[in-house]
């Protein structure tokens, strides 16, 4: 039997036969994945019939003390593509790197009515096509934690996102739920009708909705600074196409081999846990933190046996599968995440290609 030799550190980004866990990255790269985390207070969605272009409208709502709520309203077309409408300019700018999904900035009116036992919510906005859209969702019952858990996204946005949506308390939409587009009402089918008179429509009201997502994107970065030797205080600085910068700093060293890297770009922060491998990092965990810069948020972990797991808001291993890393004909690093559980995630393979030429780096992420 031939025992493979330890790879030359200068070629450390090639496949490592001794690796038991972790993802070995190329020099100068801290973490290449396009992660999002949205800890929203409410989520409402209704599926409707009869419109020539759309089949669903939904909204994710985050309350803010003394300010208007942050809202992402989504229209889903019949071909399953989606258009985001956000009322936050920085979020709109950030979304422009995302592929396969359009994002526009719009004012969104939100009106909360009813009671905790019988909530009702109205969302109104002008669409990307200048249509007036209104969703009024009347809950059919009190939101219930037993109806919480991980959401199956179905066929929505199959090539732009791998979403992990965790429902806290949820219930069906009830009678009184309406969808109007340009003042025309569209039918919402019954989902359930009991002999006792309970009626649930094809829509949902969720109290506490936490979503982590991997997104398709194309990012062009310039490496402004990278360490020749990795240790406490080591810093990577990347300039982005929009003029912003991402700063990654080693803030902790739990051991001589392990580092914690805190990353900041604009309003968002991430935390990376990795092993030092020469000038490279072996990625063990990356977590997109919440708006206040603390966890738990959306985490991607690389485990033994070339396996990975994804966690959201402290709920572990919601999606699991296998990963691989190779180099293509152009000697770019290609990372693939192949989800295996739950079954709906299997069709949303993640592929990340890292191309570096001098100080210029292009990271292309695709889904499906």
């Amino acid at each position: 039997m031939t025992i493979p030799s330890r790879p030359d550190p200068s070629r450390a980004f090639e496949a490592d036969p001794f690796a038991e866990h972790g993802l070995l990255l190329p020099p100068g790269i801290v973490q290449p994945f396009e992660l999002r985390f949205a800890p929203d207070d409410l989520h409402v969605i209704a599926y409707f019939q009869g419109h020539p272009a759309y089949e669903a409208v939904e909204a994710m709502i985050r309350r803010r003390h003394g300010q208007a709520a942050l809202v992402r309203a989504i229209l889903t077309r019949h071909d399953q593509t989606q258009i985001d409408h956000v009322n936050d300019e920085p979020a709109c700018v950030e979304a422009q790197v995302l592929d396969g999904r359009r994002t526009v900035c719009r004012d969104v009116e939100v009106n909360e009515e009813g009671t905790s036992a019988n909530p009702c919510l109205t969302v109104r906005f002008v669409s990307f096509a200048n249509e007036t859209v209104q969703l009024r969702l009347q809950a059919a019952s009190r939101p219930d934690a037993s109806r919480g858990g991980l959401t199956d996204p179905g066929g929505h946005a199959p090539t732009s996102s791998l979403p992990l949506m965790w429902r806290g308390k949820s219930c069906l939409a009830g009678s009184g739920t309406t969808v109007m587009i340009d003042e025309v009402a569209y039918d919402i089918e019954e989902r359930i009708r009991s002999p006792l008179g309970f009626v649930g429509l094809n829509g949902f009201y969720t109290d506490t909705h936490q979503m982590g997502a991997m997104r398709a994107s194309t990012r062009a970065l310039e490496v402004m600074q990278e360490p020749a030797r990795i240790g406490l205080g080591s810093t990577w600085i990347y300039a982005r196409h929009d003029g912003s910068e991402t700063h990654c700093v080693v803030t902790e060293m739990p051991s001589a081999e392990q580092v914690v890297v805190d990353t900041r770009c604009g309003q968002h922060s991430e935390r990376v846990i990795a092993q030092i491998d020469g000038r490279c990092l072996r990625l063990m965990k990356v977590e997109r933190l919440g708006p206040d810069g603390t966890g738990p948020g959306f985490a991607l972990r690389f485990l033994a046996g070339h396996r990975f797991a994804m966690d959201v808001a402290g709920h572990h291993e919601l999606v699991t599968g296998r990963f691989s890393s190779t180099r293509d004909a152009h000697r770019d690093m290609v990372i693939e995440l192949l989800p295996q559980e739950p079954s709906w995630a299997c069709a949303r393979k993640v592929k990340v290609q890292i191309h570096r030429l001098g100080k210029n780096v292009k990271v292309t992420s695709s889904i499906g």
Side-chain angles (χ1 to χ4, degrees), residues 197-272:
F198 175 84
V199 176
L201 303 184
N202 198 12
F204 298 91
Y205 179 100
T206 297
D207 183 345
T208 307
H209 185 267
Q210 301 183 89
M211 183 180 76
M214 301 195 72
R215 302 291 294 270
S217 68
T218 302
R219 289 175 290 161
L221 308 171
E222 183 179 357
V223 182
M224 306 296 290
Q225 179 178 325
E226 62 181 304
R229 182 176 179 276
I230 300 174
L232 193 63
S234 290
T235 301
W236 296 257
I237 300 177
Y238 307 98
R240 300 169 69 95
H241 74 287
D242 60 2
S244 65
E245 291 186 349
T246 299
H247 290 243
C248 309
V249 181
V250 176
T251 55
E252 300 177 41
M253 290 191 67
S255 71
E257 298 284 330
Q258 189 178 73
V259 292
V260 176
V261 183
D262 283 318
T263 297
R264 188 78 185 179
C265 180
Q267 304 176 45
H268 304 292
S269 56
E270 294 179 347
R271 175 158 292 178
V272 168

Side-chain angles (χ1 to χ4, degrees), residues 336-358:
E336 291 189 336
L337 307 183
L338 304 174
Q340 294 176 316
E341 295 289 342
S343 59
W344 61 257
C346 296
R348 298 184 186 237
K349 176 181 76 173
V350 178
K351 180 179 178 180
V352 178
Q353 182 170 351
I354 306 169
H355 173 76
R356 180 169 183 179
L357 182 61

Side-chain angles (χ1 to χ4, degrees), residues 190 192-200:
E190 289 185 6
I192 188 172
R193 177 182 287 269
S194 76
L196 299 178
F198 175 84
V199 176

Side-chain angles (χ1 to χ4, degrees), residues 24-218:
L24 190 60
L25 296 172
I29 303 299
V30 174
Q31 88 84 0
F33 300 99
E34 189 72 67
L35 307 182
R36 295 289 188 270
F37 178 60
D40 294 312
D41 296 296
L42 301 171
H43 176 252
V44 289
I45 184 169
Y47 303 86
F48 54 91
Q49 296 181 313
H51 193 279
Y54 313 127
E55 62 182 51
V57 58
E58 64 187 293
M60 301 172 188
I61 299 156
R62 190 179 313 163
R63 301 184 184 103
R64 296 188 296 178
H65 181 69
Q67 300 181 68
L70 286 177
V71 186
R72 181 158 72 101
I74 305 169
L75 283 171
T76 301
R77 296 185 177 108
H78 294 308
D79 66 1
Q80 304 303 294
T81 59
Q82 296 184 311
I83 307 97
D84 292 339
H85 304 75
V86 300
N87 64 346
D88 180 58
E89 185 68 34
C92 189
V93 171
E94 182 186 31
Q96 301 314 307
V97 302
L98 303 178
D99 294 337
R101 193 178 186 108
R102 184 176 177 185
T103 299
V104 297
C105 196
R106 292 289 189 271
D107 291 333
V108 184
E109 179 184 340
V110 176
N111 186 23
E112 293 189 58
E113 309 166 48
T115 64
S116 59
N118 189 29
C120 181
L121 183 75
T122 300
V123 178
R124 186 178 176 90
F125 61 98
V126 175
S127 78
F128 73 104
N130 292 319
E131 305 141 318
T132 300
V133 180
Q134 179 176 294
L135 166 62
R136 181 180 188 272
L137 198 137
Q138 173 66 62
S141 61
R142 180 190 292 270
D144 188 344
S146 68
R147 299 183 182 277
L150 188 64
T151 297
D152 179 348
H156 288 184
T159 61
S160 66
S161 178
L162 171 54
L164 282 69
M165 298 176 284
W166 184 265
R167 307 182 311 278
K169 300 177 182 179
S170 195
C171 65
L172 289 171
S175 300
T177 297
T178 58
V179 171
M180 297 187 69
I181 300 177
D182 278 344
E183 307 306 322
V184 177
Y186 292 90
D187 291 334
I188 304 170
E189 283 192 331
E190 289 185 6
R191 192 179 181 97
I192 188 172
R193 177 182 287 269
S194 76
L196 299 178
F198 175 84
V199 176
L201 303 184
N202 198 12
F204 298 91
Y205 179 100
T206 297
D207 183 345
T208 307
H209 185 267
Q210 301 183 89
M211 183 180 76
M214 301 195 72
R215 302 291 294 270
S217 68
T218 302

